[in-house]
Amino acid sequence: MLSENEIQFRVRYQETDAQGRVHHANYVTYFEMGRTELLRSQGLSYRQLEEEGFYLVVAGLEIKYFSGAKYDDLLRLVTRTLRLKGATVEHQYEVYCGEGLIVQGKSRLGCVDKDGKVQRLPKLLGGGGTEGNG
Amino acid sequence: MLSENEIQFRVRYQETDAQGRVHHANYVTYFEMGRTELLRSQGLSYRQLEEEGFYLVVAGLEIKYFSGAKYDDLLRLVTRTLRLKGATVEHQYEVYCGEGLIVQGKSRLGCVDKDGKVQRLPKLLGGGGTEGNG
Amino acid sequence: MLSENEIQFRVRYQETDAQGRVHHANYVTYFEMGRTELLRSQGLSYRQLEEEGFYLVVAGLEIKYFSGAKYDDLLRLVTRTLRLKGATVEHQYEVYCGEGLIVQGKSRLGCVDKDGKVQRLPKLLGGGGTEGNG
Amino acid sequence: MLSENEIQFRVRYQETDAQGRVHHANYVTYFEMGRTELLRSQGLSYRQLEEEGFYLVVAGLEIKYFSGAKYDDLLRLVTRTLRLKGATVEHQYEVYCGEGLIVQGKSRLGCVDKDGKVQRLPKLLGGGGTEGNG
């Protein structure tokens, strides 16, 4: 299930720092919101995945920061699934403020069970099984 | 076990906001750090309490802000147990920057079990039982 | 300008803690979002207020927690202006998860200038001046 | 001024998430703490650098997550300056829990002035000038 989704949200005051811009750690949280909504746009729910015993944990992250965002800026985040294979899923992220691309990211997530043991991605995500609907 | 404890810590850049001061929500987190260290100073561990099935959840909070703190300021937090009764424990907090009292708070925590059901504070915290060592 | 506003938003994964619920400090941030959107619903912008030299700083906060919220819960926050006088504005907050009221809060904010000196609320907020449009 | 520094700190409850581990965004904040203390160990103060008009902004970040940390775990963070050149400084980070390396990171920071214009790193950081004391 390779696809993309876009969300919009406003910068919270709490997310700014003394330089007057969004603190760079918050983009990591934005990316996570993007993944949640990408799944929802596919009719899936990450919350339900966890309830069924599939936990996605972040294994790697790369971020490039080109510019900053200010309090109350309306940001657009495009989230794309790059690759799904075995127990791993890769996403790409682009954050726009107006027309400008301000931050770009990539993540690699692994699928584990409740005890942290690696397991194949659930079929409904496009993982493993031949009858997967990805 | 009524007592008090003091900790010191530096303001993190991430904790500041665009006004150039610690965002007011962070004091709630500071208070929580104070409770952890107050317990540790009593030879207890909140982590262990949870592992034994005692969860403390915040039921009420009051905070007064007198002044702000900046990045890298060295803050002092005094945490005091005000009252322990049944399933409830109340704490008081004072945050100092240099000699100045900048924030003051109070919290009320309730003790619940894994399923969220109210239960008496564990004896080693001074709760309930007559043989409590509090 | 006494009024109220309602916003809806989803709990982010990052906002949960090891108890599996929204960490209690995050409601402070939610309240701030409520204030931003209350102003916007009145045709005002807190960002613009700051650009014009009016800074609102939190002087007091009271929160009661009745229940918790989980990741991906859709929360409703009702923000009300309780009182506007001189340099002070008081708000009330109610957070609902489904039909249940889970958290209630109150805040007192003071208006200061760029140097932290107390000043009357701007007229467009209902402060001070007789020609205020509040 | 190429060097390294180590700090220790405890995981705050607020930093955990519903998976019971430190939320992955917090390591970005830990890295920032590491940079602050690396400078301090060199007799410098990032706060003072900003007061003198040198702002460091994060341009790139790479993180690998090998394992998680729990509330109250005592973490060790080793921060190293990898490279200083022109307006750019690169750092490397290793987070240990006990003996285990749990997270590894790299960052690239750019030096800008108050208006966001790129400028050479200050000499006392080892930047630019031949008379730099780095």
Side-chain angles (χ1 to χ4, degrees):
Chain A
M1 202 178 280
L2 305 177
S3 61
E4 83 172 50
N5 185 50
E6 182 179 315
I7 60 171
Q8 288 199 342
F9 53 92
R10 287 202 181 267
V11 170
R12 303 173 173 184
Y13 207 98
Q14 183 270 331
E15 293 167 350
T16 61
D17 68 20
Q19 286 185 355
R21 299 292 190 281
V22 171
H23 187 271
H24 60 286
N26 290 305
Y27 293 94
V28 180
T29 295
Y30 296 164
F31 296 168
E32 188 172 54
M33 291 160 56
R35 291 195 299 273
T36 289
E37 298 306 326
L38 176 58
L39 279 182
R40 198 187 323 279
S41 74
Q42 297 170 339
L44 299 173
S45 151
Y46 179 62
R47 175 164 161 176
Q48 201 182 327
L49 282 186
E50 283 208 348
E51 286 165 3
E52 290 168 4
F54 296 94
Y55 296 83
L56 292 173
V57 294
V58 179
L61 206 53
E62 280 176 52
I63 314 184
K64 287 178 189 162
Y65 301 88
F66 308 118
S67 183
K70 288 176 133 172
Y71 161 64
D72 214 36
D73 275 344
L74 188 61
L75 302 183
R76 256 181 335 117
L77 166 61
V78 178
T79 306
R80 266 186 215 99
T81 308
L82 281 190
R83 195 180 141 96
L84 274 157
K85 200 174 166 198
T88 302
V89 53
E90 290 176 24
H91 292 95
Q92 192 183 44
Y93 312 90
E94 291 165 1
V95 184
Y96 295 88
C97 184
E99 290 308 301
L101 175 63
I102 60 169
V103 174
Q104 203 170 37
K106 257 192 205 182
S107 66
R108 195 164 40 83
L109 279 73
C111 187
V112 299
D113 65 15
K114 211 186 163 177
D115 304 315
K117 222 181 108 185
V118 175
Q119 64 174 337
R120 289 192 154 204
L121 291 163
K123 287 175 189 169
L124 74 174
L125 266 188
T130 50
E131 70 271 41
N133 61 355
Chain B
M1 203 177 282
L2 305 176
S3 60
E4 84 174 48
N5 186 48
E6 183 178 315
I7 60 172
Q8 288 199 341
F9 53 93
R10 288 205 180 261
V11 171
R12 301 174 175 184
Y13 207 98
Q14 184 271 331
E15 293 167 348
T16 60
D17 68 20
Q19 287 185 356
R21 300 289 190 282
V22 171
H23 186 271
H24 60 287
N26 290 306
Y27 293 95
V28 179
T29 295
Y30 296 163
F31 296 169
E32 190 172 53
M33 290 160 55
R35 291 195 299 274
T36 289
E37 298 306 327
L38 176 58
L39 279 181
R40 197 186 326 275
S41 74
Q42 295 169 340
L44 300 172
S45 150
Y46 178 62
R47 176 166 162 175
Q48 199 183 329
L49 282 185
E50 283 209 349
E51 286 165 2
E52 289 168 5
F54 296 95
Y55 296 83
L56 292 173
V57 294
V58 178
L61 207 52
E62 280 177 52
I63 314 183
K64 286 179 188 159
Y65 300 89
F66 307 119
S67 183
K70 288 175 134 171
Y71 161 64
D72 214 38
D73 275 345
L74 188 62
L75 302 183
R76 257 184 331 119
L77 166 61
V78 177
T79 305
R80 266 185 215 100
T81 307
L82 280 189
R83 193 178 143 95
L84 273 158
K85 200 177 168 197
T88 303
V89 54
E90 290 176 25
H91 292 96
Q92 194 184 43
Y93 312 91
E94 290 165 0
V95 184
Y96 295 88
C97 183
E99 289 310 299
L101 174 64
I102 61 169
V103 173
Q104 202 170 38
K106 257 191 205 184
S107 67
R108 194 164 41 83
L109 278 74
C111 188
V112 299
D113 65 16
K114 210 186 164 177
D115 303 315
K117 224 181 109 183
V118 175
Q119 64 174 336
R120 290 194 154 202
L121 291 164
K123 287 174 189 170
L124 74 175
L125 267 189
T130 50
E131 71 272 42
N133 61 355
Chain C
M1 200 178 280
L2 305 177
S3 60
E4 83 173 50
N5 186 50
E6 183 177 316
I7 59 171
Q8 288 198 342
F9 53 92
R10 286 202 181 265
V11 171
R12 301 172 174 185
Y13 207 98
Q14 184 271 331
E15 294 167 349
T16 60
D17 68 19
Q19 286 185 356
R21 300 291 190 281
V22 171
H23 186 270
H24 59 288
N26 290 305
Y27 293 94
V28 179
T29 294
Y30 295 164
F31 295 169
E32 189 173 51
M33 291 161 54
R35 292 194 299 274
T36 288
E37 298 306 327
L38 175 59
L39 280 181
R40 199 189 319 281
S41 73
Q42 296 169 343
L44 300 173
S45 150
Y46 178 63
R47 176 165 160 175
Q48 201 184 327
L49 282 185
E50 284 208 350
E51 285 164 3
E52 290 168 5
F54 295 96
Y55 296 82
L56 293 173
V57 293
V58 179
L61 206 53
E62 281 177 50
I63 314 183
K64 286 179 187 161
Y65 301 88
F66 307 119
S67 183
K70 287 175 135 171
Y71 161 64
D72 214 37
D73 275 344
L74 188 61
L75 302 184
R76 258 183 331 120
L77 165 62
V78 178
T79 306
R80 267 186 214 97
T81 307
L82 280 188
R83 196 180 141 94
L84 273 158
K85 203 177 166 196
T88 303
V89 52
E90 291 176 24
H91 292 96
Q92 193 183 44
Y93 312 89
E94 290 164 1
V95 184
Y96 295 89
C97 185
E99 290 309 300
L101 174 65
I102 61 168
V103 173
Q104 204 171 38
K106 258 192 205 180
S107 67
R108 194 164 38 85
L109 278 72
C111 188
V112 299
D113 66 14
K114 211 186 162 177
D115 304 314
K117 221 180 108 185
V118 175
Q119 65 175 336
R120 288 193 155 205
L121 292 164
K123 287 174 189 169
L124 75 175
L125 266 190
T130 50
E131 71 273 40
N133 61 356
Chain D
M1 203 178 277
L2 305 177
S3 60
E4 84 172 49
N5 185 49
E6 183 179 316
I7 59 171
Q8 288 199 342
F9 53 92
R10 286 203 181 264
V11 171
R12 302 172 175 186
Y13 208 98
Q14 185 271 330
E15 294 167 348
T16 60
D17 68 20
Q19 286 184 356
R21 299 292 190 280
V22 171
H23 186 271
H24 58 288
N26 290 306
Y27 293 94
V28 180
T29 295
Y30 296 163
F31 295 168
E32 190 172 52
M33 292 160 55
R35 291 194 299 274
T36 289
E37 298 306 327
L38 174 58
L39 279 182
R40 196 186 325 279
S41 74
Q42 295 169 341
L44 301 172
S45 149
Y46 179 63
R47 176 166 162 175
Q48 201 184 327
L49 282 186
E50 283 209 349
E51 285 165 3
E52 289 168 6
F54 296 95
Y55 296 82
L56 292 173
V57 295
V58 179
L61 207 53
E62 281 177 52
I63 314 183
K64 286 180 190 161
Y65 300 89
F66 308 119
S67 182
K70 289 175 133 171
Y71 161 64
D72 215 36
D73 275 344
L74 188 62
L75 302 184
R76 259 182 330 121
L77 165 61
V78 177
T79 305
R80 267 184 215 99
T81 307
L82 280 189
R83 195 178 141 94
L84 273 158
K85 199 175 168 196
T88 302
V89 53
E90 290 177 24
H91 291 96
Q92 192 184 43
Y93 312 90
E94 290 165 359
V95 184
Y96 296 88
C97 184
E99 289 309 300
L101 174 65
I102 60 169
V103 174
Q104 202 171 38
K106 258 193 206 181
S107 66
R108 194 165 38 86
L109 278 74
C111 187
V112 299
D113 66 15
K114 211 188 165 176
D115 304 315
K117 222 180 107 185
V118 174
Q119 65 175 336
R120 288 194 155 203
L121 291 164
K123 288 175 191 169
L124 74 174
L125 266 189
T130 49
E131 70 273 41
N133 61 354

